[in-house]
Amino acid sequence: MSTIEKSLYQTLGGEETISQVIDLFYSKYVLNDVRIKQFFVGVDMEKQRIIQAKSLACALGGPANNGEKMNIAHHHLNLKDEHFDAVVDDLGKALRDLNVSEEMIAKVVTS
């Protein structure tokens, strides 16, 4: 009998958990983070949450995302490494708020 390994998406709790993570990620962290909040001025945050939840789910082995590639969607923003680092930091904080283990957070942020 073979063992099928769960995806990170499944291990974290699927759509419900991803939705919670994304809500915390934006409302508690990103929109208050002086390093990156300026990129979200004037952005439809409901739409942004939906897009980000789909992207994260796909990156973690969940349902496929048929949206734009990240590099294309963000090309016009002139993002730098420190902006990416801020996003990773904020994602880790949101995951910690949901009591996700440091081991699992490390896997998520490198996906």
Side-chain angles (χ1 to χ4, degrees):
M1 181 158 93
S2 67
T3 303
I4 298 175
E5 192 172 319
K6 285 176 141 182
S7 68
L8 284 173
Y9 175 79
Q10 293 168 318
T11 301
L12 285 172
E15 182 178 353
E16 183 177 333
T17 301
I18 296 299
S19 180
Q20 291 173 350
V21 168
I22 294 303
D23 284 345
L24 284 168
F25 172 70
Y26 284 114
S27 64
K28 190 172 180 181
Y29 297 107
V30 170
L31 297 177
N32 296 302
D33 189 331
V34 296
R35 301 171 294 177
I36 56 175
K37 69 182 184 177
Q38 69 274 13
F39 294 110
F40 297 92
V41 173
V43 171
D44 177 344
M45 290 309 298
E46 185 58 34
K47 183 178 175 185
Q48 181 66 27
R49 282 180 168 89
I50 291 167
I51 291 167
Q52 187 61 46
K54 287 180 179 180
S55 294
L56 182 59
C58 181
L60 300 178
N65 178 17
N66 295 324
E68 276 186 284
K69 299 279 186 203
M70 287 269 208
N71 60 340
I72 295 169
H74 296 103
H75 178 74
H76 68 286
L77 297 175
N78 194 30
L79 298 173
K80 300 188 177 2
D81 287 345
E82 60 262 22
H83 301 126
F84 176 76
D85 293 344
V87 168
V88 170
D89 182 43
D90 290 344
L91 180 58
K93 289 175 184 175
L95 290 163
R96 283 182 196 90
D97 283 354
L98 295 174
N99 298 312
V100 174
S101 72
E102 291 300 318
E103 178 185 354
M104 186 63 64
I105 290 170
K107 290 178 181 180
V108 168
V109 300
T110 58
S111 293

